[in-house]
Amino acid sequence: MKTLMVFDFDHTVVDDNSDTWVKRCLPDQNLPNSLTSSYREGHWTEFMGRVMNYIGDQEVGPDRVRSVLETIPFTGGMMDLLSFISEHKSTIDCIVISDSNTMFIDWILQAAGVQTAVDQVFTNPARLNELGYMEIQHYHSHDCARCPVNLCKKNVLEVYLSEKSNGGVEYERIFYVGDGRNDFCPATCLRGNDVVMPRRGYTLEKLLKRQTDEAPLRARVAAWSSGSDILKELTASLRP
C-alpha cells in the first residue's frame, strides 16, 4: 500500500499567491482600484479572468507572464521535500489540488525542475485565446455550500480516491498539506490513519482548532512551518 501526498499550491508549495504575484508583470506592478474592487466573495476565478484580460490589454504577452511567475519563491524546505518524493515514486503518490490554474502551476513546477514529483494537478483549466490573452475556466460545478463556486477540494479528493480504488490502488496513509479556508473541507473526509498538515499561523490551522460537530475531524493534525517539518512526518511514517 502506498502513501498519498496531497498539496495545496499557493502559500504551501510556493511561499506566496501565484494569482497575485502575476501583477508583477505589469509596468507599475499594480492593478487599478476599479479592477481590485470588482472581486466578489467566492468568485475568485472570474476575478482572475478580468485580471488576465487587463494584463493582455496592457500588451503584456504570455512569455512575460511566464517569466514573472517563474520567479515566485518556493516555501522553505519544499524543494527538498519534492525531491524526496520524486526519488520514492514507487511508494509515494503526489497530487496538487489548487484554486490557481493549470498554466501558472505547470510553468512554476517546470521552471523549478520538480514536476516529476507531482503525478496529477487538479486546478482551474487555463488557455491562451486568439489574442494571446489567458482565459481561466471553473474546474467543475458542485453543491458544497462551504467551498467557492468553482472548486470543492473534498469532491476532487473523493473522486480521485474512488478512481484509484477502482484501479486497485489503496493508500495506507494520506497526508493533506495546506494553509487556507478551502483546505478545511477535504480535511473532513480523511480517515483516522491520515494526517492533515496546516501551515502554522494560517487560516486552516485556526479552522481546525475550532472545528464543530457538523464537520468532525478524524485525521491527526500536525502543523508545519517548512517543508522540512513535512518531510520528517513523511519519513517517520515510511519506517517499518
Side-chain angles (χ1 to χ4, degrees):
M1 293 177 70
K2 304 179 80 172
T3 295
L4 176 65
M5 298 295 299
V6 185
F7 288 96
D8 171 49
F9 193 72
D10 294 319
H11 290 296
T12 299
V13 175
V14 293
D15 202 18
D16 210 301
N17 185 327
S18 57
D19 281 349
T20 56
W21 190 268
V22 73
K23 69 182 181 181
R24 295 169 182 245
C25 70
L26 292 164
D28 62 356
Q29 300 193 9
N30 279 300
L31 299 171
N33 289 335
S34 59
L35 180 54
T36 56
S37 63
S38 71
Y39 169 65
R40 289 190 302 132
E41 183 72 31
H43 295 267
W44 181 259
T45 306
E46 290 89 341
F47 171 71
M48 279 307 299
R50 294 191 292 276
V51 168
M52 298 313 299
N53 197 57
Y54 174 80
I55 287 173
D57 284 345
Q58 307 314 301
E59 299 183 352
V60 176
D63 289 344
R64 170 63 180 161
V65 174
R66 179 170 186 164
S67 67
V68 167
L69 264 295
E70 289 174 347
T71 66
I72 194 169
F74 276 66
T75 302
M78 196 60 65
M79 292 291 286
D80 289 340
L81 172 59
L82 293 173
S83 295
F84 179 87
I85 293 170
S86 293
E87 295 164 2
H88 294 81
K89 295 310 295 179
S90 61
T91 55
I92 304 172
D93 285 347
C94 176
I95 63 174
V96 168
I97 309 177
S98 167
D99 203 3
S100 182
N101 66 76
T102 52
M103 296 183 78
F104 283 8
I105 294 177
D106 288 348
W107 287 342
I108 293 166
L109 293 178
Q110 288 174 18
V114 292
Q115 71 273 23
T116 56
V118 180
D119 300 301
Q120 286 182 261
V121 175
F122 300 93
T123 188
N124 302 300
R127 69 177 188 92
L128 299 178
N129 65 19
E130 63 279 0
L131 298 175
Y133 293 14
M134 181 184 289
E135 294 181 345
I136 306 168
Q137 299 175 317
H138 285 192
Y139 176 77
H140 62 184
S141 59
H142 62 83
D143 56 6
C144 176
R146 193 186 290 133
C147 292
V149 296
N150 60 295
L151 178 65
C152 172
K153 292 186 176 186
K154 178 180 178 180
N155 177 275
V156 174
L157 181 55
E158 288 179 333
V159 170
Y160 174 85
L161 293 173
S162 175
E163 291 176 349
K164 282 291 185 178
S165 180
N166 290 340
V169 177
E170 300 291 342
Y171 292 106
E172 181 177 2
R173 184 173 286 107
I174 300 169
F175 288 87
Y176 188 98
V177 185
D179 72 285
R181 182 175 300 277
N182 64 357
D183 294 310
F184 181 81
C185 194
T188 63
C189 77
L190 298 177
R191 309 158 301 180
N193 199 40
D194 300 330
V195 185
V196 55
M197 302 196 68
R199 190 171 184 179
R200 283 193 181 92
Y202 284 71
T203 303
L204 178 60
E205 183 185 34
K206 297 169 186 173
L207 290 174
L208 291 171
K209 285 179 178 177
R210 61 172 192 258
Q211 59 181 300
T212 65
D213 292 337
E214 291 85 42
L217 195 72
R218 290 172 291 174
R220 179 168 65 88
V221 178
W224 65 277
S225 296
S226 74
S228 301
D229 298 332
I230 303 166
L231 183 56
K232 286 178 184 176
E233 284 281 344
L234 175 59
T235 53
S237 75
L238 296 175
R239 296 191 193 110

